Amino acid sequence: MALKVLIVDDEALARSRMRTLLGECTEPRADVVGEASNAVQAMEQIQRMNCDLVMLDIHMPGVDGIALASTLRQMAAPPAIVFVTAHAEHAVHAFELEAIDYLTKPVRRERLQQALQKVVRLRSATEGAQEPGLPESLIIQERGRSERVALADVIYLKAELKYITVRTADKEHIFDGALSDLEQRYAHLFVRVHRNALVSRRAVRAVEKHNDPVEGEGWMVRLDGVDERLAVSRRQLAAVREALMS
């Protein structure tokens, strides 16, 4: 199955080049289902058609790509996002928005192919985990091998720039995906404690005040199965307390 791709860039030449590069990709294949020169056009097309991936420029007139990506994250089933820009300094912000990848112009075909493969791995891990008769799980691909990790064994999921750390009581795994996708799919199992972390609802043991000499007063969550504590944002404090009481 080919990925359905929407190209969003205010420069017609850049859109044309991306269309050509996508046409040269074979593993996986990519079908361009639309183009947009600004965020408004992009949203209209995304709402009208089904697309798997948005190749998104950052600097555009009006609403920029960062703001558009933030809006897309609110969708029930958002498309994957790969940023394509000439400005490498925005990489950290892009991954905070849980983009699958960040490509700098001029984009090489080999690098684009890698980004598409990341998108496919994420889809396979989340969709393939739900085979009938099996417990909910993630497919972890590391060092040339694939491993099924039951979500019942996961204590927390923490975004680390490009990847997600999947922590169980025994070890850490690296998962290539977006935290927001996992949150929407597995909200019954995990609660968000911070913009970069989800914790298992069953593992929440205590919520405590914490005084940091730099950050000042804050909150931390203690979890069964690990010694480390994770920061809790004030915005998520009520939800974490609710998970503790349930």
Side-chain angles (χ1 to χ4, degrees):
M1 295 288 291
L3 290 172
K4 298 176 182 177
V5 183
L6 173 66
I7 302 171
V8 184
D9 197 306
D10 63 309
E11 297 181 1
L13 186 59
R15 295 196 303 273
S16 176
R17 172 170 170 73
M18 179 56 63
R19 180 182 282 271
T20 299
L21 287 173
L22 287 167
E24 295 173 354
C25 292
T26 57
E27 297 180 1
R29 292 188 299 108
D31 289 342
V32 177
V33 295
E35 295 184 12
S37 61
N38 57 57
V40 173
Q41 291 179 5
M43 281 302 301
E44 290 176 348
Q45 294 195 52
I46 290 169
Q47 291 170 350
R48 188 173 68 249
M49 65 185 180
N50 179 31
C51 70
D52 304 312
L53 170 64
V54 178
M55 305 296 299
L56 181 57
D57 188 22
I58 288 182
H59 286 282
M60 299 184 295
V63 178
D64 65 11
I66 294 292
L68 175 58
S70 181
T71 299
L72 293 178
R73 283 185 63 192
Q74 310 306 315
M75 296 176 62
I81 295 173
V82 171
F83 282 106
V84 184
T85 179
H87 304 276
E89 67 271 17
H90 294 291
V92 171
H93 197 170
F95 286 117
E96 286 177 351
L97 290 169
E98 297 167 359
I100 300 298
D101 211 336
Y102 185 99
L103 308 181
T104 53
K105 299 176 181 179
V107 177
R108 294 181 295 108
R109 182 177 58 80
E110 294 79 8
R111 185 66 182 85
L112 175 61
Q113 188 80 76
Q114 291 174 6
L116 297 180
Q117 290 168 352
K118 283 186 178 183
V119 175
V120 170
R121 285 199 298 271
L122 172 61
R123 287 164 58 89
S124 298
T126 54
E127 294 174 2
Q130 308 311 314
E131 296 177 16
L134 292 175
E136 292 177 297
S137 57
L138 295 177
I139 305 301
I140 305 293
Q141 299 185 12
E142 295 178 301
R143 301 181 181 90
R145 64 189 293 266
S146 298
E147 180 178 351
R148 186 182 297 274
V149 177
L151 289 174
D153 296 332
V154 176
I155 298 170
Y156 68 74
L157 302 158
K158 188 175 182 182
E160 308 280 359
L161 194 58
K162 292 187 178 182
Y163 302 99
I164 295 174
T165 296
V166 179
R167 184 70 161 91
T168 67
D170 300 324
K171 63 183 295 188
E172 290 184 351
H173 303 273
I174 300 299
F175 179 70
D176 193 358
L179 201 64
S180 60
D181 291 341
L182 298 178
E183 180 183 22
Q184 291 177 6
R185 190 177 295 267
Y186 304 115
H188 58 296
L189 297 177
F190 297 94
V191 59
R192 184 177 285 272
V193 297
H194 199 272
R195 67 180 181 179
N196 71 338
L198 306 175
V199 303
S200 169
R201 292 179 178 274
R202 62 165 183 79
V204 176
R205 188 169 68 185
V207 182
E208 307 169 330
K209 272 192 175 181
H210 169 73
N211 287 298
D212 185 276
V214 177
E215 301 291 336
E217 184 179 279
W219 295 87
M220 306 289 287
V221 60
R222 282 196 290 125
L223 303 166
D224 287 328
V226 294
D227 293 330
E228 63 190 293
R229 297 182 300 169
L230 299 182
V232 179
S233 67
R234 294 186 182 277
R235 181 178 180 181
Q236 304 298 334
L237 183 58
V240 179
R241 282 176 168 163
E242 181 181 345
L244 175 63
M245 301 302 294
S246 61

